[in-house]
Amino acid sequence: MALQLYKMRFREAHFGTGYLNTSSLTFSASQLYSALCLEALKNDCLDEWLAKSQQTDFLLSNAFPYTDKPFLPLPLKRKEKRLSLEHLTAENRTKKGLANLQFIPVDKLEAFLNPERRTSDLVKELLTTQEGLSKKSVIMKKGIDPYEVGVTEYNCSLYVLASQLDLFDQLMTALQYSGLGGKRSGGYGQFKLTIEDIPAELQSRLDVRSDGYQLLLTDSIPTEDELIEDLVSGNGAYHLVKNSGFTYSPTAHEQLRKQDLYKFSAGSVFKQRYTGGIVDVRPDGFPHPVYNFARGLFVGLGEYK
């Protein structure tokens, strides 16, 4: 299936990070997939959606910022040998900024991948750009039991990449009115959807499958049949994220804790791509499957030192 870019313009949203009074800028593919399953259930097309989306060629990315250009997750830094004290000092200055950097505009990726151009000045420029994407606020909800809600206010759009399906388009169109994320009853999470072609600079990297390193765009895991040699050889760089939480189902009588699932985070770097899959994380005895989207989607980096 051909990939399409789905741009979402939020005003305010709450994407939980484990605490009610905090909110993330973006969301994962699995969060979107779960919301689409619920939207399909409401529109009486869940079986059709599952049949089409569970085909191995259906891909979906995490959400990333979009201004006048798309952003990508910052590639995790591979370990390298330090050759001199001067090199170590410059590297440490750069690392201080990288600790807070999450995203990088696609047109700055080439410079970042070049160690001679990956300077502290470049990192400061990227941090300034990132800080302008949104602002965070905490809203006090009044009532008998007052509580605080973390809210993200957007100065940018978000986008996902997904395999083009008419049913996906229909569900995304419906979802923009239902909303995405937490506290939707308070008016958060609604967005305006536009469907666009993928910019050429990003499309060219999606097409690079075997030359050099590959950047992961979706929190995901390989299947049991896929051997990731990078984990053995040390060629890659990765973080693990834990997916957990509670089930939600209009047909279940109680919420139960899902099975924990550990995945490679978007931004991980490997020497080869993997397929991954969709994992059933339902609790024991739960009346129906609970799906976690864990299929891999990559862009090529070429050489990365």
Side-chain angles (χ1 to χ4, degrees), residues 222-227:
T223 64
E224 293 181 359
D225 297 331
E226 292 178 303
L227 176 63

Side-chain angles (χ1 to χ4, degrees), residues 29-37 49-50 53-54 278 291 293:
S30 185
Q31 289 172 292
L32 177 57
Y33 188 79
S34 295
L36 291 169
C37 287
W49 164 243
L50 292 176
S53 64
Q54 291 186 2
I278 299 176
Y291 293 114
F293 194 90

Side-chain angles (χ1 to χ4, degrees), residues 183-197:
K183 298 301 174 185
R184 294 188 300 277
S185 61
Y188 302 121
Q190 293 185 352
F191 59 91
K192 182 178 180 181
L193 175 71
T194 56
I195 304 174
E196 303 180 2
D197 293 333

Side-chain angles (χ1 to χ4, degrees), residues 109-124:
L109 185 59
E110 194 66 39
F112 181 83
L113 295 175
N114 185 334
E116 295 182 358
R117 299 173 63 187
R118 193 189 310 132
T119 62
S120 57
D121 288 339
L122 174 62
V123 173
K124 287 179 182 178

